[in-house]
Every structure is written in structure tokens, then in C-alpha cells.
Amino acid sequence: MTSANDDGRALRLAPQEGLFLFAAVLVWAGYVVALGKDTSWDFRNYHWYIPYAYLNGRMGIDIAVAHMATYYNPLLDVPFYWLAIHTPAWFALGSLGAVQGANVVPLYIIARQTLQFPENRLAAAALALLGMTGGLTLGLAGTTYYDNVMSVFTLSSLAMLIGGRETLTVGPLVRAAAIAAIAGFVCGTAAGLKLPETPFTFGFAAALIALGGTWRNLLVRTFAGGAGGALGFFLFGGLWMLHMQHLTGNPLFPYFNNHYHSPLAAPVDYHDTRFLQPFHDQIILPILFSLDWRVTDDLPYQDIRIGLAYFALIVAAIGWVIGLFLRRPREPLTDPTAGRAIVAFVIVTFIVWVKLFCIYRYILALEMLAPTVIAVAIASLPIGARARFVTAGATFFLALLFSHPQYSERVPVSDPFVEALAPKITNPEKAMILLTGQEPLGFLAPSFSPKIPIVRIDGWMYQSSDNTGLTRLAHKRVTEQLKKRHYLYLVADAEQMTRAHDALEDYNLAILWQKCRLFDTNIAGTYQLCPVGPWPPGLPHRKGLT
């Protein structure tokens, strides 16, 4: 066993190791640039809008531009948005790709510190690269879903625990507390920036406990890790939640509004429950989503490595029981302390995820970590070392064979990053834009004058005829605009104009069809910009003609 003073080797890389990791990150950045710009629904809905709104103080100006996502924590989106508007598109995409590619670093450290045989560095490099080739990991490269950015945080927190395990279990208490607090802070930051990362905080806590060691070290590192996690969560998520509480009366607005009862939204939870499973499916879920991605996601992919890890852990548990009776000595291939922590991290994270979300991309870090989990499980089998190596190799080949990414629609890299060729609105200080429909329109907002408020009167979150607080607020804003004899404009997806007409009818407004103008963007879609006026006197409302 190494001494606690040697923990630092986990972060001290030999020149050839550093060169390997740098090259892997660089290749990933180039890969992302080659794929082109993401045009996904979420990007067009809110990943471009909410950082714009945050940086330009539009929370009190606009209303629900990006549907429910209007009220998400924008801090995660700010860095890429800032880069994309201030640097060439290729550089912004390459920077995003480099961050996503940086997952290879904690993956490598975790594997190198866990494997115990002469060629462990070469094997760790192979496991790290294998972790980066999952079906959804490849498919999400260069996108702004950010699950592959948050994974850098969650995997790094685990890497700190694995690399510092000697200090954390038997070393000086002050050093143990420092490592645990920093690792906890990193993991808590991920959950604060993106709430669906919360299951990993439970997995992190389980890994802290699974390390074992003296009871003093256990208590100190658990407290320090929890305190660090709470601080990271508060700084990067809690402050935004307090802001939402003050603004809307619901810190998670609009989610769980059946509990918080914000007057602005309906008393429902708004939680996406499409993929939650009954218990009899939960216990075999890794098999189910390995066979059919639609069980747990609406983003297509093909990958079986989590399913293989699930099966390997079951076999390892059976092998452990058999090994108790056989009592045959075998050559250890992995560090048992590191292995326990990894397995605890994975199992507890997965259980919490199953109960809360069941959306596959939220556990993308587990897809990346799955090859190492498989290696740990196979290494524990009560068979010879050569048989374990062969079994692992065959399993990894099978994982690669059935790993197929499917990429979202991309467009070539061009500047500016987002450009909407919308007609210019004269007198913007007297104008207001109304949004309707379920399609994503948020990315269009920065293309209009910042003097123009943008008000959604119809969408996923509420409709023009309901009685939520946001609807009443939208009615009030439109009424005030009409009283001032100012200008109203509609922006809608060109294929949803019937819905736009009906939504405006609820406001006693009509589209001035002869003045509508089509426009498109360098991202996706064709849109209509139409002047809107009061409903003509004497014209019957279509909704009344039944």
C-alpha cells in the first residue's frame, strides 16, 4: 500500500501522459468543429436566449420567451454564448469541444489509479478513450445540452476521491478534509448549474463512505465533502433559486408548482415524467434501454455499455460469493478501495436517477465511466488473470460493436454564430413582439432591437385562453400597448400560423396578413413577422363559428 503522502501522484502526469491527454482533447475539439453548429430544439429554444436575457437584464422586460426554460439557471450557458458572440464561430465551437473532450482526463486518472498491473497506464488510456466513444457521448459532441460538460465536474470529483484515497482513509485529517471539500465543491457545482445532475451528489456521498478507513477520517471527510458540495450548489444554483423565489414565489419555477403555488403558473409540477418506469422495469432498465433507446430518451443513440456494466456487476457479485467458498488466491488487478468507491458511486447515482428522471442523457457520465466499471467487475471474478483479460477484451469489443451515434442536424460553421434575416422594425421603442406556438423561438430574440419587449402569449407552459398569472400579465402588457397606440408584431413559425391566429383571437387581435414577411436564419427554420392590430369590428370570431 502506498503512503498518504503519495496521493499527489494521481494528478502528477508523466510528459507522455500529458501529451496523450492534450492530444485527445485537441482531437475532440477538432471533431466538434468538423461536425458543425448544433441546431437542436433546445438550442433554438433557450441555450441562446437565456444567457442573452441574463446578460442584458431582460427578465423584467420579456415574458416566457423560451417557454418553461425561460426561468432556468442561465450561468451554464453564459460562457459559450459570450464566446460565440465575441469570437469566430470555429473558435467558440472548438472551445466547447475542448471542454467536452476534457472528460478524458478524469476518466484516465480514475482508471490509472484503479488498475494494478504493469501496463496499467496503457490500459487506462484505452479505458479513457473507450469511455469517450459511447453512442450518446459521440452524438452530443458540440451540442449545448451540457450533459457532457457537467460530466467533467462529476467525474473529476470522483477522480479526486480515487486519487486521494490514502489520505482520505488513513491520512492527516486536515488534508483529508481539504480533498473531500474540494471534490464535494466540484460535484455540488455541477448540481447547482444543472439540477438533473443531483443524482451524482448522492453517488459522490456513497463513494465517500465506501472508501472506508478510520472512523475519524470517515466522519471528517463526509462532513467536509457535504459542506463543500452545499457551498458549490448554493453559489452556482442556490442564489438563482433565491432569485426565482423572489421573482415568482417558486425557487424551481415553474417546476413543482403544485407544491410552491406560484400565482404565475398552473398548480402542476411540470416535471417530465414520460420516461419514469414501474418497479418491475426499473430493476432491468439498463437492459431495456440498451435494446431500445426510446425507453429513456427522445434523443436517438445506440449503446449497450451501461447494460454490460450492469450485467458484469451482477456476475461479479455472484463470483464474489463463489470465491468465498473456493478461497483460491488470485492475482489482484484493481485496487479494492478504488473499486468499491467507483461501484458505490455508480449504483447509488443510478438508483436516484431512476427514481427522479429516467432520462438517459442525464447519466451520460455513467456511459463514459462504464468501461472502467466493467473492468473493475471482471477483475474481481474468481478466475485466472489471463481469463479475466480475455473476458474484458471481448466485452469491450462487444461494447464498441453495438455503439452507434446519431447526430442532431448540424449546419456548417459560419459567422455570426446566429443570424436571423428578420425585417427591420421601425420605431422599436414603441414596438412589442408577441410569440405563439410550441416551436422554439428564443434564439431569434437577440436579432431584434433590445428596445423591443418580447411577450409569449401561447406555448408549452400556458395558452392564451387559460387563467394563469403569466397569461394575465401578458394580457395586461398587450392592453397597455394598445392603449398607447403603439405597435404589435407577431413572430411565429411559418407552419404554425393557424395556431397563431387562434391565440391572437383570444386577445381580440388579428394578423394583418397582407403585411406579413417571411424570413429565415443561418440555423434552422422559416418564420413569419406580421403586424398585428385590433380585431376588426363586426367580424365574427372564428372560435364562435361552431
Side-chain angles (χ1 to χ4, degrees), residues 98-442:
V99 173
Q100 294 171 346
N103 283 288
V104 73
V105 177
L107 286 173
Y108 175 76
I109 292 173
I110 291 169
R112 189 188 73 169
Q113 290 297 300
T114 302
L115 302 177
Q116 287 190 330
F117 47 84
E119 299 299 328
N120 69 327
R121 293 187 179 186
L122 183 60
L127 286 177
L129 292 178
L130 191 60
M132 297 294 292
T133 58
L136 198 58
T137 299
L138 289 171
L140 290 185
T143 68
T144 53
Y145 289 100
Y146 292 120
D147 301 283
N148 50 3
V149 172
M150 293 299 91
S151 56
V152 177
F153 289 76
T154 54
L155 292 172
S156 294
S157 68
L158 179 61
M160 292 179 199
L161 298 188
I162 301 300
R165 63 190 180 280
E166 301 297 339
T167 297
L168 290 167
T169 54
V170 296
L173 296 181
V174 173
R175 290 185 61 195
I179 293 172
I182 294 172
F185 181 84
V186 171
C187 191
T189 295
L193 288 170
K194 185 168 183 173
L195 289 177
E197 298 296 310
T198 301
F200 289 98
T201 63
F202 290 87
F204 175 83
L208 268 180
I209 296 171
L211 287 171
T214 68
W215 67 268
R216 287 188 176 88
N217 285 70
L218 175 61
L219 289 177
V220 167
R221 71 172 183 259
T222 302
F223 176 80
L231 179 60
F233 181 85
F234 176 75
L235 290 178
F236 292 95
L239 290 175
W240 181 257
M241 291 168 65
L242 290 176
H243 177 59
M244 285 293 100
Q245 174 66 35
H246 173 73
L247 188 69
T248 70
N250 178 349
L252 300 174
F253 187 80
Y255 295 105
F256 306 110
N257 207 47
N258 55 329
H259 172 73
Y260 291 106
H261 301 293
S262 167
L264 295 178
V268 297
D269 65 10
Y270 291 96
H271 181 205
D272 188 351
T273 59
R274 290 176 296 162
F275 302 107
L276 293 178
Q277 307 291 327
F279 178 75
H280 60 81
D281 285 339
Q282 291 176 5
I283 59 178
I284 58 169
L285 194 56
I287 306 300
L288 296 178
F289 64 61
S290 294
L291 297 174
D292 186 355
W293 59 268
R294 288 168 293 191
V295 172
T296 53
D297 218 318
D298 49 13
L299 297 178
Y301 71 95
Q302 174 61 54
D303 200 273
I304 65 171
R305 64 195 63 203
I306 292 182
L308 290 174
Y310 173 78
F311 182 73
L313 287 173
I314 293 175
V315 173
I318 296 172
W320 178 78
V321 173
I322 295 173
L324 292 178
F325 294 97
L326 296 178
R327 295 183 180 179
R328 292 178 180 174
R330 64 179 185 274
E331 179 184 353
L333 299 179
T334 58
D335 180 272
T337 302
R340 283 198 311 272
I342 292 170
V343 171
F345 177 84
V346 168
I347 290 177
V348 172
T349 296
F350 187 84
I351 291 172
V352 176
W353 168 82
V354 163
K355 298 298 182 182
L356 293 181
F357 302 112
C358 275
I359 297 175
Y360 183 86
R361 66 182 173 86
Y362 292 169
I363 53 166
L364 191 68
L366 297 190
E367 182 184 275
M368 297 179 184
L369 193 58
T372 300
V373 175
I374 293 170
V376 168
I378 293 176
S380 69
L381 295 177
I383 55 179
R386 178 173 294 182
R388 282 177 275 165
F389 279 119
V390 171
T391 302
T395 305
F396 296 145
F397 176 76
L398 196 63
L400 282 173
L401 189 63
F402 288 95
S403 177
H404 302 291
Q406 293 195 42
Y407 299 98
S408 61
E409 188 174 343
R410 315 286 174 113
V411 295
V413 178
S414 62
D415 291 310
F417 200 92
V418 173
E419 183 179 27
L421 304 177
K424 185 178 180 180
I425 295 178
T426 57
N427 298 317
E429 67 281 354
K430 294 184 177 181
M432 175 184 288
I433 291 175
L434 306 180
L435 304 181
T436 63
Q438 296 182 340
E439 290 304 301
L441 302 172

Side-chain angles (χ1 to χ4, degrees), residues 49-94:
Y49 171 74
I50 63 174
Y52 161 76
Y54 176 73
L55 294 174
N56 292 277
R58 298 190 65 85
M59 188 60 72
I61 298 174
D62 300 339
I63 299 178
V65 170
H67 304 280
M68 293 173 288
T70 305
Y71 306 96
Y72 289 1
N73 185 348
L75 296 182
L76 180 56
D77 289 283
V78 166
F80 178 74
Y81 175 80
W82 189 91
L83 274 177
I85 63 173
H86 289 100
T87 67
W90 70 265
F91 183 82
L93 272 177

Side-chain angles (χ1 to χ4, degrees), residues 41 44-45 67 436-442 456 460 493 496 527:
W41 199 97
R44 289 178 287 136
N45 183 43
H67 304 280
T436 63
Q438 296 182 340
E439 290 304 301
L441 302 172
R456 177 172 291 282
W460 284 101
D493 186 278
Q496 291 200 354
Y527 306 93

